[in-house]
Amino acid sequence: MRILVKLFAQYREGRFKTEYKEYPEETTPQIIIDALHLEEVSPLGCVDGEWETC
Amino acid sequence: MADLIYRVNMTNLSFKIEEVPAEWLGLGGRALTSTIVAKEVDPECHPLGPNNKLVFAPGLLSGTSASNSGRNSCGAKSPLTGGIKESNVGGTSAGIMSKLGVKALIIEGLPKNEEMFYQLHVTKNNVEFIEVPELVGLDNYAVLDAMAAKYDKKVAVMSIGRVGEMRMNLANISVKDPSGKLRSHGRGGLGAVMGSKKIKCITVDAENYKEVTIADPEKFKEASKIFTKALQENPISGEGLPAFGTNVLVNILNEAGGLPTRNFRAGNWEFAENICGETMAENIKARGGKTTHGCHAGCVIQCSQVYNDKDGNYLTSGFEYETIWALGANFGIKDLDLIAKIDGLMDDLGVDSIETSVTLGLAVDAGILAYGDGEKAYELLSKDLPNGTPIGRIIGSGTHILGKLYGLVRVPTVKGQGIPAYEPRAVKGQGITYATTPMGADHTAGYAVATNILNSGGYVDPLKKEGQVELARNLQIATAAVDSTGMCIFVAFPALDDPKCLPALVDMINARFGCNLSIDDVVNLGKTILKREHEFNIKAGLGKADDRLPEFMKYETLPPHNVVWDFSGEEIDEFWNF
Ligand code: SF4
């Protein structure tokens, strides 16, 4: 599937603002975060604070 | 020497110094201003008449070395809301008043000579009344220049511009910050109250003060260290706010569908990137401004900044998300530099940048301005408003009155005060705060955005009703307590998430005064203050029907989530069951 990834604040540094990319169907936010090497990302808008499930 | 109450009477231009009554000893900041207003001001009085009082009180920890403790509270009956008002500010006044031993400055009465404006100069054990005809008709920066020429450069200055002289609802009280720029007791028209008392400025002597006394310096130092560390280690107060200012919120609220757009017609804006915190930080770096800046000495978060134009010339500082949102998404200006220019103008004029800009958003519906026409807005604010032309006075009356005069229905106010920056239909906890706070729509009164959007203090789904009343209640109680300490509201982020933060704050209060308060005592203080303010409002004639959001939010769905405001009156009124 084609996913639009938007980065904000300090996560933009050395990366990008927005990017469309193809990902496998089962992709979770955590997989994208890991691929981008984003550390200590605060999971906004997640009921249980877990990127795997939000 | 113990702190004292300085009481000024403008009717006969006299002052007296009073001992602090026992029941006020443990109060500071908002707790003290609201207690004094509730006790001494007739809730039915006219806010601009002789029976209103203007009260300034630094927080309990102001003047100490505690991080972020330099906030000063100002209270009165508000001409904008008709209820009690407290508005706190950074700048230099809180620290200097505390060090001078001024627990509160109470200003009552109106001068007999309606032609004259005065400067009040507060020194140790004295208040001088100085006639200042030469300052009449000047705005804030000119007043600062005049005071800088007259006194030590550190003198604290609180002033009003021409809009305050004319007693318009938009008028704030501006306060000099450590860089000689301005911060404001922004909301509620407190500048109009100061104008009604014919006070152009208040200066507080910074040459002859003593450091505040600390009952247990060792314990204070230890607690202060823990507290500062908590502020610095929190990802929002330690990283996001210093790097991007409060304007980091534009993109976050836009993505959450909670960025009010086109006078509250949608929850996101296609041009958010033009005005966001990231763009602002890029501009600042390229143009030689400052991305971090404290509004008072001792702020370790430093969410403020200095923003320059393309040629490196100063445009504004203290460039806040709420102002940028209101002039941007809500009124439609896509050019951040023009927003900054208007922000700088509003500082100089001494007007509430939120109320003014929300009024401009409504002025589009009224047919006065075109959406996004920033140049015309600048002209209106720089010419009509401070010169008191008829249209200037209409804008100067604020959102609610503009709506009435133009027969508009979609008027985004609660208790007559313009709703700020967070769409209540899409951030429902914030909506409950707007409806219930005694201050009128005020985001700082109980910042539910923290838990609805920023996952601070847990998470309550912003689009659902469940848990919002309890969230807003807990936050408003905590905020009433924090506003009494002199702390900036952003200490709330570590306080919500770091178990060491709140105990350290209470330890600092105990060490400062040699008392033994528990966290429960501090929470109870918050409850007492909130109820006291609510009682004042009821006596002033503000009832349950005033604890409501504008009706259009109940029947107009808000894109992109297509949500409405769906709380019944009974559900909202549950807020007061504590
Ligand atoms: S964090 Fe911002 S608002 Fe708070 S004291 Fe510092 S500069 Fe002022």
Side-chain angles (χ1 to χ4, degrees), chain B residues 37 41-48 52 76-86 169 187-190 193 397 400-401 414-417 437-441 533-543 546:
Chain B
V37 171
V41 174
D42 176 0
E44 293 182 358
C45 77
H46 194 295
L48 304 179
N52 199 5
K77 178 173 175 177
S78 161
L80 185 77
T81 68
I84 199 164
K85 176 59 68 179
E86 183 270 353
N169 285 340
R187 308 227 64 194
L190 293 174
V193 180
S397 301
H400 185 73
I401 290 180
V414 181
K415 298 182 183 70
Q417 183 164 291
T437 166
M439 300 297 149
E533 292 168 344
H534 185 52
E535 275 162 28
F536 181 96
N537 279 2
I538 290 169
K539 288 185 202 153
L542 296 172
D546 298 288

mmCIF file of all heavy atoms in Angstrom, chain B residues 37 41-48 52 76-86 169 187-190 193 397 400-401 414-417 437-441 533-543 546:
data_model
loop_
_atom_site.group_PDB
_atom_site.id
_atom_site.type_symbol
_atom_site.label_atom_id
_atom_site.label_comp_id
_atom_site.label_asym_id
_atom_site.label_seq_id
_atom_site.Cartn_x
_atom_site.Cartn_y
_atom_site.Cartn_z
ATOM 1 N N VAL B 37 -10.361 39.801 44.992
ATOM 2 C CA VAL B 37 -11.480 40.285 44.165
ATOM 3 C C VAL B 37 -12.799 39.746 44.722
ATOM 4 O O VAL B 37 -13.782 40.486 44.878
ATOM 5 C CB VAL B 37 -11.281 39.886 42.678
ATOM 6 C CG1 VAL B 37 -12.530 40.191 41.854
ATOM 7 C CG2 VAL B 37 -10.069 40.607 42.080
ATOM 8 N N VAL B 41 -14.624 43.023 45.933
ATOM 9 C CA VAL B 41 -15.303 43.651 44.780
ATOM 10 C C VAL B 41 -16.756 43.198 44.741
ATOM 11 O O VAL B 41 -17.041 42.001 44.819
ATOM 12 C CB VAL B 41 -14.586 43.287 43.453
ATOM 13 C CG1 VAL B 41 -15.359 43.802 42.249
ATOM 14 C CG2 VAL B 41 -13.163 43.834 43.455
ATOM 15 N N ASP B 42 -17.657 44.167 44.622
ATOM 16 C CA ASP B 42 -19.081 43.836 44.479
ATOM 17 C C ASP B 42 -19.267 43.162 43.115
ATOM 18 O O ASP B 42 -19.009 43.785 42.084
ATOM 19 C CB ASP B 42 -19.896 45.137 44.554
ATOM 20 C CG ASP B 42 -21.377 44.894 44.308
ATOM 21 O OD1 ASP B 42 -21.766 43.723 44.071
ATOM 22 O OD2 ASP B 42 -22.138 45.877 44.339
ATOM 23 N N PRO B 43 -19.710 41.895 43.097
ATOM 24 C CA PRO B 43 -19.826 41.195 41.808
ATOM 25 C C PRO B 43 -20.757 41.896 40.832
ATOM 26 O O PRO B 43 -20.661 41.696 39.623
ATOM 27 C CB PRO B 43 -20.397 39.827 42.190
ATOM 28 C CG PRO B 43 -20.128 39.668 43.641
ATOM 29 C CD PRO B 43 -20.113 41.045 44.230
ATOM 30 N N GLU B 44 -21.661 42.739 41.353
ATOM 31 C CA GLU B 44 -22.599 43.432 40.458
ATOM 32 C C GLU B 44 -22.060 44.776 39.971
ATOM 33 O O GLU B 44 -22.740 45.494 39.246
ATOM 34 C CB GLU B 44 -23.936 43.635 41.174
ATOM 35 C CG GLU B 44 -24.659 42.316 41.436
ATOM 36 C CD GLU B 44 -26.000 42.502 42.109
ATOM 37 O OE1 GLU B 44 -26.364 43.654 42.411
ATOM 38 O OE2 GLU B 44 -26.671 41.482 42.335
ATOM 39 N N CYS B 45 -20.848 45.132 40.376
ATOM 40 C CA CYS B 45 -20.334 46.460 40.006
ATOM 41 C C CYS B 45 -20.041 46.548 38.511
ATOM 42 O O CYS B 45 -19.856 45.535 37.835
ATOM 43 C CB CYS B 45 -19.060 46.786 40.798
ATOM 44 S SG CYS B 45 -17.578 45.943 40.204
ATOM 45 N N HIS B 46 -19.997 47.775 38.025
ATOM 46 C CA HIS B 46 -19.559 47.976 36.642
ATOM 47 C C HIS B 46 -18.034 47.797 36.611
ATOM 48 O O HIS B 46 -17.330 48.427 37.409
ATOM 49 C CB HIS B 46 -19.935 49.380 36.155
ATOM 50 C CG HIS B 46 -19.808 49.518 34.667
ATOM 51 N ND1 HIS B 46 -18.593 49.425 34.014
ATOM 52 C CD2 HIS B 46 -20.732 49.691 33.700
ATOM 53 C CE1 HIS B 46 -18.777 49.560 32.723
ATOM 54 N NE2 HIS B 46 -20.075 49.717 32.493
ATOM 55 N N PRO B 47 -17.517 46.967 35.682
ATOM 56 C CA PRO B 47 -16.067 46.697 35.684
ATOM 57 C C PRO B 47 -15.205 47.949 35.486
ATOM 58 O O PRO B 47 -14.045 47.965 35.893
ATOM 59 C CB PRO B 47 -15.873 45.736 34.509
ATOM 60 C CG PRO B 47 -17.219 45.178 34.216
ATOM 61 C CD PRO B 47 -18.223 46.184 34.662
ATOM 62 N N LEU B 48 -15.793 48.989 34.859
ATOM 63 C CA LEU B 48 -15.010 50.206 34.631
ATOM 64 C C LEU B 48 -15.388 51.320 35.606
ATOM 65 O O LEU B 48 -14.938 52.449 35.475
ATOM 66 C CB LEU B 48 -15.207 50.689 33.187
ATOM 67 C CG LEU B 48 -14.882 49.664 32.098
ATOM 68 C CD1 LEU B 48 -15.144 50.245 30.713
ATOM 69 C CD2 LEU B 48 -13.435 49.181 32.199
ATOM 70 N N ASN B 52 -14.818 48.606 41.055
ATOM 71 C CA ASN B 52 -13.949 47.489 40.665
ATOM 72 C C ASN B 52 -12.545 47.745 41.219
ATOM 73 O O ASN B 52 -12.167 48.896 41.476
ATOM 74 C CB ASN B 52 -13.898 47.355 39.142
ATOM 75 C CG ASN B 52 -13.415 45.970 38.691
ATOM 76 O OD1 ASN B 52 -13.209 45.068 39.512
ATOM 77 N ND2 ASN B 52 -13.233 45.798 37.401
ATOM 78 N N ALA B 76 -9.321 41.164 38.455
ATOM 79 C CA ALA B 76 -10.346 42.211 38.543
ATOM 80 C C ALA B 76 -11.653 41.591 38.074
ATOM 81 O O ALA B 76 -11.685 40.431 37.639
ATOM 82 C CB ALA B 76 -9.990 43.395 37.639
ATOM 83 N N LYS B 77 -12.732 42.349 38.124
ATOM 84 C CA LYS B 77 -13.926 41.939 37.382
ATOM 85 C C LYS B 77 -13.687 42.351 35.931
ATOM 86 O O LYS B 77 -13.294 43.496 35.656
ATOM 87 C CB LYS B 77 -15.178 42.612 37.951
ATOM 88 C CG LYS B 77 -16.434 42.233 37.160
ATOM 89 C CD LYS B 77 -17.712 42.727 37.782
ATOM 90 C CE LYS B 77 -18.889 42.400 36.858
ATOM 91 N NZ LYS B 77 -20.182 42.783 37.394
ATOM 92 N N SER B 78 -13.938 41.419 35.019
ATOM 93 C CA SER B 78 -13.582 41.653 33.611
ATOM 94 C C SER B 78 -14.664 42.405 32.853
ATOM 95 O O SER B 78 -15.835 42.018 32.891
ATOM 96 C CB SER B 78 -13.346 40.296 32.935
ATOM 97 O OG SER B 78 -13.421 40.421 31.534
ATOM 98 N N PRO B 79 -14.282 43.461 32.120
ATOM 99 C CA PRO B 79 -15.269 44.140 31.267
ATOM 100 C C PRO B 79 -15.670 43.299 30.059
ATOM 101 O O PRO B 79 -16.715 43.532 29.462
ATOM 102 C CB PRO B 79 -14.536 45.408 30.816
ATOM 103 C CG PRO B 79 -13.096 45.157 31.028
ATOM 104 C CD PRO B 79 -12.971 44.111 32.096
ATOM 105 N N LEU B 80 -14.848 42.305 29.721
ATOM 106 C CA LEU B 80 -15.159 41.467 28.554
ATOM 107 C C LEU B 80 -16.157 40.371 28.927
ATOM 108 O O LEU B 80 -17.118 40.125 28.205
ATOM 109 C CB LEU B 80 -13.879 40.836 27.999
ATOM 110 C CG LEU B 80 -14.054 40.043 26.711
ATOM 111 C CD1 LEU B 80 -14.188 40.978 25.514
ATOM 112 C CD2 LEU B 80 -12.868 39.104 26.471
ATOM 113 N N THR B 81 -15.926 39.703 30.049
ATOM 114 C CA THR B 81 -16.768 38.551 30.409
ATOM 115 C C THR B 81 -17.857 38.913 31.411
ATOM 116 O O THR B 81 -18.828 38.179 31.555
ATOM 117 C CB THR B 81 -15.924 37.425 31.024
ATOM 118 O OG1 THR B 81 -15.432 37.856 32.302
ATOM 119 C CG2 THR B 81 -14.746 37.046 30.142
ATOM 120 N N GLY B 82 -17.662 39.984 32.164
ATOM 121 C CA GLY B 82 -18.597 40.317 33.245
ATOM 122 C C GLY B 82 -18.394 39.436 34.467
ATOM 123 O O GLY B 82 -19.137 39.498 35.437
ATOM 124 N N GLY B 83 -17.362 38.593 34.433
ATOM 125 C CA GLY B 83 -17.054 37.731 35.573
ATOM 126 C C GLY B 83 -15.680 38.032 36.129
ATOM 127 O O GLY B 83 -15.029 39.000 35.741
ATOM 128 N N ILE B 84 -15.251 37.164 37.028
ATOM 129 C CA ILE B 84 -13.932 37.356 37.639
ATOM 130 C C ILE B 84 -12.854 37.041 36.598
ATOM 131 O O ILE B 84 -13.063 36.221 35.703
ATOM 132 C CB ILE B 84 -13.783 36.448 38.886
ATOM 133 C CG1 ILE B 84 -12.663 36.923 39.804
ATOM 134 C CG2 ILE B 84 -13.618 34.985 38.476
ATOM 135 C CD1 ILE B 84 -12.723 36.316 41.195
ATOM 136 N N LYS B 85 -11.726 37.698 36.716
ATOM 137 C CA LYS B 85 -10.642 37.440 35.753
ATOM 138 C C LYS B 85 -9.317 37.367 36.487
ATOM 139 O O LYS B 85 -9.052 38.124 37.406
ATOM 140 C CB LYS B 85 -10.615 38.572 34.714
ATOM 141 C CG LYS B 85 -9.503 38.522 33.714
ATOM 142 C CD LYS B 85 -9.455 37.263 32.875
ATOM 143 C CE LYS B 85 -10.589 37.108 31.903
ATOM 144 N NZ LYS B 85 -10.438 35.846 31.092
ATOM 145 N N GLU B 86 -8.520 36.396 36.061
ATOM 146 C CA GLU B 86 -7.113 36.368 36.443
ATOM 147 C C GLU B 86 -6.330 36.111 35.181
ATOM 148 O O GLU B 86 -6.684 35.234 34.391
ATOM 149 C CB GLU B 86 -6.825 35.255 37.453
ATOM 150 C CG GLU B 86 -5.379 35.220 37.944
ATOM 151 C CD GLU B 86 -4.415 34.345 37.126
ATOM 152 O OE1 GLU B 86 -4.871 33.608 36.209
ATOM 153 O OE2 GLU B 86 -3.206 34.408 37.374
ATOM 154 N N ASN B 169 -12.419 46.714 25.209
ATOM 155 C CA ASN B 169 -12.325 45.347 25.738
ATOM 156 C C ASN B 169 -11.067 44.591 25.312
ATOM 157 O O ASN B 169 -10.659 43.638 25.958
ATOM 158 C CB ASN B 169 -13.535 44.519 25.287
ATOM 159 C CG ASN B 169 -14.775 44.883 26.058
ATOM 160 O OD1 ASN B 169 -14.696 45.454 27.143
ATOM 161 N ND2 ASN B 169 -15.933 44.554 25.505
ATOM 162 N N ARG B 187 -5.751 38.533 28.554
ATOM 163 C CA ARG B 187 -7.156 38.307 28.275
ATOM 164 C C ARG B 187 -8.075 39.061 29.234
ATOM 165 O O ARG B 187 -7.725 39.360 30.367
ATOM 166 C CB ARG B 187 -7.439 36.809 28.324
ATOM 167 C CG ARG B 187 -6.464 36.023 27.422
ATOM 168 C CD ARG B 187 -7.133 35.019 26.540
ATOM 169 N NE ARG B 187 -8.025 35.605 25.578
ATOM 170 C CZ ARG B 187 -8.917 34.918 24.875
ATOM 171 N NH1 ARG B 187 -9.021 33.624 25.056
ATOM 172 N NH2 ARG B 187 -9.694 35.514 23.996
ATOM 173 N N GLY B 188 -9.268 39.336 28.755
ATOM 174 C CA GLY B 188 -10.321 39.832 29.634
ATOM 175 C C GLY B 188 -10.449 41.328 29.755
ATOM 176 O O GLY B 188 -11.254 41.822 30.531
ATOM 177 N N GLY B 189 -9.643 42.085 29.012
ATOM 178 C CA GLY B 189 -9.800 43.541 29.032
ATOM 179 C C GLY B 189 -9.277 44.221 30.292
ATOM 180 O O GLY B 189 -9.762 45.289 30.679
ATOM 181 N N LEU B 190 -8.239 43.616 30.910
ATOM 182 C CA LEU B 190 -7.717 44.224 32.144
ATOM 183 C C LEU B 190 -7.079 45.588 31.870
ATOM 184 O O LEU B 190 -7.041 46.445 32.761
ATOM 185 C CB LEU B 190 -6.723 43.273 32.814
ATOM 186 C CG LEU B 190 -7.363 41.981 33.356
ATOM 187 C CD1 LEU B 190 -6.298 41.020 33.866
ATOM 188 C CD2 LEU B 190 -8.375 42.292 34.463
ATOM 189 N N VAL B 193 -9.599 48.181 32.468
ATOM 190 C CA VAL B 193 -9.784 48.494 33.902
ATOM 191 C C VAL B 193 -8.686 49.456 34.352
ATOM 192 O O VAL B 193 -8.947 50.442 35.053
ATOM 193 C CB VAL B 193 -9.769 47.199 34.754
ATOM 194 C CG1 VAL B 193 -9.952 47.531 36.232
ATOM 195 C CG2 VAL B 193 -10.862 46.223 34.287
ATOM 196 N N SER B 397 -14.122 46.286 20.683
ATOM 197 C CA SER B 397 -15.057 45.743 21.675
ATOM 198 C C SER B 397 -14.981 44.230 21.771
ATOM 199 O O SER B 397 -15.568 43.626 22.661
ATOM 200 C CB SER B 397 -16.492 46.139 21.305
ATOM 201 O OG SER B 397 -16.594 47.535 21.270
ATOM 202 N N HIS B 400 -17.516 39.111 20.725
ATOM 203 C CA HIS B 400 -18.915 38.964 21.116
ATOM 204 C C HIS B 400 -19.749 40.175 20.676
ATOM 205 O O HIS B 400 -20.826 40.033 20.087
ATOM 206 C CB HIS B 400 -18.981 38.785 22.637
ATOM 207 C CG HIS B 400 -20.344 38.513 23.156
ATOM 208 N ND1 HIS B 400 -20.974 37.299 22.966
ATOM 209 C CD2 HIS B 400 -21.220 39.286 23.857
ATOM 210 C CE1 HIS B 400 -22.171 37.343 23.519
ATOM 211 N NE2 HIS B 400 -22.348 38.531 24.064
ATOM 212 N N ILE B 401 -19.233 41.348 20.949
ATOM 213 C CA ILE B 401 -19.990 42.566 20.613
ATOM 214 C C ILE B 401 -20.036 42.769 19.096
ATOM 215 O O ILE B 401 -21.077 43.147 18.544
ATOM 216 C CB ILE B 401 -19.412 43.790 21.353
ATOM 217 C CG1 ILE B 401 -19.745 43.619 22.842
ATOM 218 C CG2 ILE B 401 -19.954 45.103 20.805
ATOM 219 C CD1 ILE B 401 -19.262 44.699 23.745
ATOM 220 N N VAL B 414 -17.282 32.225 24.594
ATOM 221 C CA VAL B 414 -17.943 31.715 25.799
ATOM 222 C C VAL B 414 -17.797 32.804 26.858
ATOM 223 O O VAL B 414 -16.705 33.327 27.067
ATOM 224 C CB VAL B 414 -17.298 30.404 26.319
ATOM 225 C CG1 VAL B 414 -18.046 29.910 27.560
ATOM 226 C CG2 VAL B 414 -17.285 29.331 25.247
ATOM 227 N N LYS B 415 -18.892 33.150 27.492
ATOM 228 C CA LYS B 415 -18.931 34.260 28.455
ATOM 229 C C LYS B 415 -18.329 35.524 27.818
ATOM 230 O O LYS B 415 -17.593 36.289 28.458
ATOM 231 C CB LYS B 415 -18.190 33.906 29.747
ATOM 232 C CG LYS B 415 -18.785 32.721 30.512
ATOM 233 C CD LYS B 415 -18.043 32.444 31.809
ATOM 234 C CE LYS B 415 -18.587 31.233 32.526
ATOM 235 N NZ LYS B 415 -18.301 29.951 31.870
ATOM 236 N N GLY B 416 -18.608 35.695 26.535
ATOM 237 C CA GLY B 416 -18.172 36.916 25.852
ATOM 238 C C GLY B 416 -16.720 36.921 25.422
ATOM 239 O O GLY B 416 -16.255 37.884 24.817
ATOM 240 N N GLN B 417 -15.969 35.866 25.714
ATOM 241 C CA GLN B 417 -14.537 35.851 25.371
ATOM 242 C C GLN B 417 -14.283 34.904 24.204
ATOM 243 O O GLN B 417 -14.793 33.778 24.183
ATOM 244 C CB GLN B 417 -13.725 35.419 26.599
ATOM 245 C CG GLN B 417 -12.217 35.437 26.365
ATOM 246 C CD GLN B 417 -11.411 35.378 27.657
ATOM 247 O OE1 GLN B 417 -11.402 36.321 28.440
ATOM 248 N NE2 GLN B 417 -10.743 34.283 27.894
ATOM 249 N N THR B 437 -14.746 27.046 32.645
ATOM 250 C CA THR B 437 -13.833 27.894 33.416
ATOM 251 C C THR B 437 -14.476 29.246 33.721
ATOM 252 O O THR B 437 -15.129 29.843 32.852
ATOM 253 C CB THR B 437 -12.476 28.105 32.702
ATOM 254 O OG1 THR B 437 -11.804 29.196 33.364
ATOM 255 C CG2 THR B 437 -12.630 28.472 31.246
ATOM 256 N N PRO B 438 -14.289 29.718 34.946
ATOM 257 C CA PRO B 438 -14.855 31.028 35.295
ATOM 258 C C PRO B 438 -14.269 32.178 34.487
ATOM 259 O O PRO B 438 -14.758 33.299 34.547
ATOM 260 C CB PRO B 438 -14.480 31.185 36.781
ATOM 261 C CG PRO B 438 -14.174 29.812 37.269
ATOM 262 C CD PRO B 438 -13.653 29.053 36.101
ATOM 263 N N MET B 439 -13.201 31.891 33.713
ATOM 264 C CA MET B 439 -12.496 32.956 32.991
ATOM 265 C C MET B 439 -13.088 33.275 31.624
ATOM 266 O O MET B 439 -12.592 34.152 30.931
ATOM 267 C CB MET B 439 -11.021 32.554 32.785
ATOM 268 C CG MET B 439 -10.267 32.312 34.061
ATOM 269 S SD MET B 439 -10.179 33.802 35.040
ATOM 270 C CE MET B 439 -10.165 33.129 36.689
ATOM 271 N N GLY B 440 -14.122 32.563 31.168
ATOM 272 C CA GLY B 440 -14.500 32.664 29.756
ATOM 273 C C GLY B 440 -13.555 31.783 28.961
ATOM 274 O O GLY B 440 -12.580 31.262 29.518
ATOM 275 N N ALA B 441 -13.818 31.614 27.655
ATOM 276 C CA ALA B 441 -13.035 30.653 26.874
ATOM 277 C C ALA B 441 -11.534 30.931 27.012
ATOM 278 O O ALA B 441 -11.027 31.911 26.463
ATOM 279 C CB ALA B 441 -13.452 30.737 25.408
ATOM 280 N N GLU B 533 -14.073 31.505 42.568
ATOM 281 C CA GLU B 533 -14.262 32.252 41.314
ATOM 282 C C GLU B 533 -15.657 31.987 40.730
ATOM 283 O O GLU B 533 -16.330 32.898 40.246
ATOM 284 C CB GLU B 533 -13.180 31.834 40.301
ATOM 285 C CG GLU B 533 -11.780 32.273 40.711
ATOM 286 C CD GLU B 533 -10.647 31.630 39.900
ATOM 287 O OE1 GLU B 533 -10.894 30.614 39.211
ATOM 288 O OE2 GLU B 533 -9.516 32.119 39.974
ATOM 289 N N HIS B 534 -16.064 30.734 40.827
ATOM 290 C CA HIS B 534 -17.381 30.351 40.305
ATOM 291 C C HIS B 534 -18.490 31.081 41.073
ATOM 292 O O HIS B 534 -19.452 31.589 40.470
ATOM 293 C CB HIS B 534 -17.521 28.827 40.444
ATOM 294 C CG HIS B 534 -18.762 28.257 39.847
ATOM 295 N ND1 HIS B 534 -19.167 28.511 38.562
ATOM 296 C CD2 HIS B 534 -19.708 27.425 40.358
ATOM 297 C CE1 HIS B 534 -20.284 27.868 38.310
ATOM 298 N NE2 HIS B 534 -20.654 27.215 39.385
ATOM 299 N N GLU B 535 -18.346 31.133 42.392
ATOM 300 C CA GLU B 535 -19.347 31.828 43.225
ATOM 301 C C GLU B 535 -19.430 33.302 42.862
ATOM 302 O O GLU B 535 -20.506 33.888 42.807
ATOM 303 C CB GLU B 535 -18.978 31.718 44.707
ATOM 304 C CG GLU B 535 -19.478 30.444 45.357
ATOM 305 C CD GLU B 535 -18.738 30.156 46.657
ATOM 306 O OE1 GLU B 535 -18.277 31.125 47.316
ATOM 307 O OE2 GLU B 535 -18.599 28.963 46.990
ATOM 308 N N PHE B 536 -18.273 33.919 42.625
ATOM 309 C CA PHE B 536 -18.263 35.334 42.230
ATOM 310 C C PHE B 536 -19.086 35.498 40.956
ATOM 311 O O PHE B 536 -19.915 36.397 40.831
ATOM 312 C CB PHE B 536 -16.828 35.824 42.009
ATOM 313 C CG PHE B 536 -16.737 37.283 41.617
ATOM 314 C CD1 PHE B 536 -16.499 38.260 42.572
ATOM 315 C CD2 PHE B 536 -16.895 37.683 40.289
ATOM 316 C CE1 PHE B 536 -16.419 39.606 42.212
ATOM 317 C CE2 PHE B 536 -16.827 39.025 39.926
ATOM 318 C CZ PHE B 536 -16.578 39.983 40.887
ATOM 319 N N ASN B 537 -18.838 34.605 39.998
ATOM 320 C CA ASN B 537 -19.540 34.716 38.710
ATOM 321 C C ASN B 537 -21.047 34.554 38.880
ATOM 322 O O ASN B 537 -21.831 35.256 38.227
ATOM 323 C CB ASN B 537 -19.003 33.664 37.729
ATOM 324 C CG ASN B 537 -17.700 34.113 37.084
ATOM 325 O OD1 ASN B 537 -17.180 35.178 37.392
ATOM 326 N ND2 ASN B 537 -17.164 33.300 36.199
ATOM 327 N N ILE B 538 -21.444 33.628 39.730
ATOM 328 C CA ILE B 538 -22.889 33.433 39.937
ATOM 329 C C ILE B 538 -23.501 34.715 40.513
ATOM 330 O O ILE B 538 -24.534 35.195 40.044
ATOM 331 C CB ILE B 538 -23.145 32.209 40.858
ATOM 332 C CG1 ILE B 538 -22.775 30.929 40.098
ATOM 333 C CG2 ILE B 538 -24.600 32.145 41.321
ATOM 334 C CD1 ILE B 538 -22.726 29.679 40.939
ATOM 335 N N LYS B 539 -22.792 35.295 41.490
ATOM 336 C CA LYS B 539 -23.299 36.551 42.076
ATOM 337 C C LYS B 539 -23.281 37.684 41.049
ATOM 338 O O LYS B 539 -24.055 38.635 41.132
ATOM 339 C CB LYS B 539 -22.452 36.940 43.294
ATOM 340 C CG LYS B 539 -22.685 36.040 44.495
ATOM 341 C CD LYS B 539 -21.893 36.590 45.675
ATOM 342 C CE LYS B 539 -21.644 35.517 46.710
ATOM 343 N NZ LYS B 539 -20.436 35.742 47.504
ATOM 344 N N ALA B 540 -22.377 37.594 40.077
ATOM 345 C CA ALA B 540 -22.313 38.625 39.030
ATOM 346 C C ALA B 540 -23.380 38.407 37.951
ATOM 347 O O ALA B 540 -23.507 39.208 37.031
ATOM 348 C CB ALA B 540 -20.922 38.620 38.387
ATOM 349 N N GLY B 541 -24.104 37.302 38.065
ATOM 350 C CA GLY B 541 -25.194 37.058 37.119
ATOM 351 C C GLY B 541 -24.875 36.046 36.032
ATOM 352 O O GLY B 541 -25.637 35.877 35.081
ATOM 353 N N LEU B 542 -23.728 35.374 36.146
ATOM 354 C CA LEU B 542 -23.377 34.354 35.135
ATOM 355 C C LEU B 542 -23.829 32.990 35.662
ATOM 356 O O LEU B 542 -23.300 32.494 36.654
ATOM 357 C CB LEU B 542 -21.869 34.348 34.879
ATOM 358 C CG LEU B 542 -21.276 35.616 34.271
ATOM 359 C CD1 LEU B 542 -19.758 35.547 34.251
ATOM 360 C CD2 LEU B 542 -21.788 35.829 32.855
ATOM 361 N N GLY B 543 -24.802 32.400 34.992
ATOM 362 C CA GLY B 543 -25.347 31.128 35.480
ATOM 363 C C GLY B 543 -24.969 29.960 34.592
ATOM 364 O O GLY B 543 -24.040 30.045 33.779
ATOM 365 N N ASP B 546 -24.494 30.262 30.898
ATOM 366 C CA ASP B 546 -23.248 30.851 30.410
ATOM 367 C C ASP B 546 -22.121 29.830 30.333
ATOM 368 O O ASP B 546 -21.061 30.108 29.777
ATOM 369 C CB ASP B 546 -22.839 32.018 31.317
ATOM 370 C CG ASP B 546 -23.885 33.113 31.302
ATOM 371 O OD1 ASP B 546 -23.989 33.798 30.281
ATOM 372 O OD2 ASP B 546 -24.629 33.240 32.296
#
